[in-house]
Each structure stands twice: as structure tokens, then as C-alpha cells.
């Protein structure tokens, strides 16, 4: 095999590989967006639970009407668990920052303070802002 032909083949394989990476990234992002659950709104979560049970169990309209309070209660409980978990994570990270501070140099403490200030400036999610 001659030198120029070998480089053309290598170049072709590299192009196909790069095209596969790009295509895979776009498909992966599309799938991730499709399967991501939106738990930010109570109604959306309730509807997701209801439609999941309807499709998996083949619930009739009468059964859906009868079980609507159960799905609503379940969505509220999931939201409460998420809020409590989020609060506990925030408290744990804040405690870790407090324990870390004495071991840092003044420059590092300044960076940690800047990071904490940045965290406090992040916009509040819609669900928390409306409550």
C-alpha cells in the first residue's frame, strides 16, 4: 500500500470516528432530555405518576378517577422528600465548608467565601420562588 493511500484511509477512519462521536453526543443529549423527569411542578409529577400507572396496569377511566387522590398524595410526598433531601444536602455542604475553612490559607478562604457568595446569588428555582 502506498503512503498517500494509507493516509487517505487513516483520514477516512478518523472522519468516520469523529462523525460517530458527534452523532452519538446529539442522540445521547436528545435521549437524556426525553427521559428526564420534571418534578418541579406538582401537577406534572402527578400526571407522570398517573400516566405511568395507566400504561403499565391498563387502568380504566373509572379506576383513574378513583385513584386520583392517591396519585396526588404520592406526588406531594415525593416533593416533600425532595425538599428535605435538598435541605439536608445544603446543610451538609455548609458544615463541610465550615470545617474546611480553618485548614485553608487566607487566599483559599477568600476563594471559598467567593464560592459561597456565588451560591447565594444563584436564582431561586420557580417552585421555591412562588411559595
Amino acid at each position: 500500500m502506498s503512503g498517500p493511500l494509507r493516509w487517505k484511509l487513516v483520514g477516512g477512519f478518523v472522519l468516520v470516528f469523529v462523525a460517530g462521536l458527534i452523532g452519538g453526543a446529539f442522540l445521547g443529549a436528545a435521549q437524556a432530555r426525553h427521559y428526564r423527569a420534571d418534578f418541579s411542578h406538582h401537577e406534572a409529577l402527578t400526571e407522570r405518576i398517573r400516566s405511568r400507572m395507566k400504561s403499565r396496569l391498563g387502568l380504566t377511566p373509572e379506576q383513574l378517577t378513583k385513584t386520583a387522590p392517591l396519585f396526588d398524595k404520592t406526588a406531594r410526598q415525593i416533593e416533600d422528600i425532595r425538599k428535605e433531601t435538598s435541605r439536608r444536602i445544603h446543610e451538609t455542604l455548609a458544615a463541610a465548608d465550615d470545617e474546611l475553612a480553618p485548614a485553608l490559607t487566607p487566599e483559599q478562604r477568600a476563594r471559598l467565601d467567593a464560592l459561597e457568595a456565588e451560591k447565594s446569588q444563584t436564582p431561586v428555582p420557580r417552585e421555591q420562588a412562588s411559595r
Side-chain angles (χ1 to χ4, degrees):
M1 182 181 311
S2 67
L5 180 59
R6 186 177 316 154
W7 283 112
K8 286 180 183 178
L9 283 173
V10 169
F13 283 122
V14 169
L15 285 175
V16 169
F17 179 74
V18 170
L21 284 175
I22 293 170
F26 281 116
L27 288 175
Q31 289 298 315
R33 197 174 318 119
H34 174 73
Y35 287 110
R36 182 179 43 193
D38 180 16
F39 297 130
S40 61
H41 300 299
H42 177 76
E43 295 82 19
L45 181 56
T46 302
E47 179 57 33
R48 184 170 168 86
I49 293 169
R50 187 179 76 77
S51 65
R52 184 175 178 195
M53 289 298 118
K54 179 183 177 184
S55 67
R56 289 185 174 187
L57 302 175
L59 298 177
T60 64
E62 297 82 29
Q63 289 172 315
L64 287 172
T65 303
K66 193 175 186 179
T67 57
L70 171 65
F71 299 146
D72 192 51
K73 180 182 90 171
T74 302
R76 276 194 308 273
Q77 289 173 333
I78 290 171
E79 287 176 352
D80 291 343
I81 291 167
R82 186 192 51 78
K83 287 177 190 173
E84 174 64 20
T85 301
S86 178
R87 184 191 58 77
R88 289 179 57 197
I89 289 170
H90 177 73
E91 289 173 356
T92 302
L93 291 173
D97 287 349
D98 292 343
E99 289 181 40
L100 177 64
L104 300 176
T105 66
E107 295 83 20
Q108 290 170 327
R109 270 192 224 128
R111 279 190 259 165
L112 180 62
D113 291 342
L115 289 173
E116 288 176 354
E118 195 176 289
K119 277 192 274 185
S120 68
Q121 291 177 0
T122 53
V124 177
R126 275 188 292 170
E127 65 190 56
Q128 293 175 0
S130 64
R131 292 182 185 173

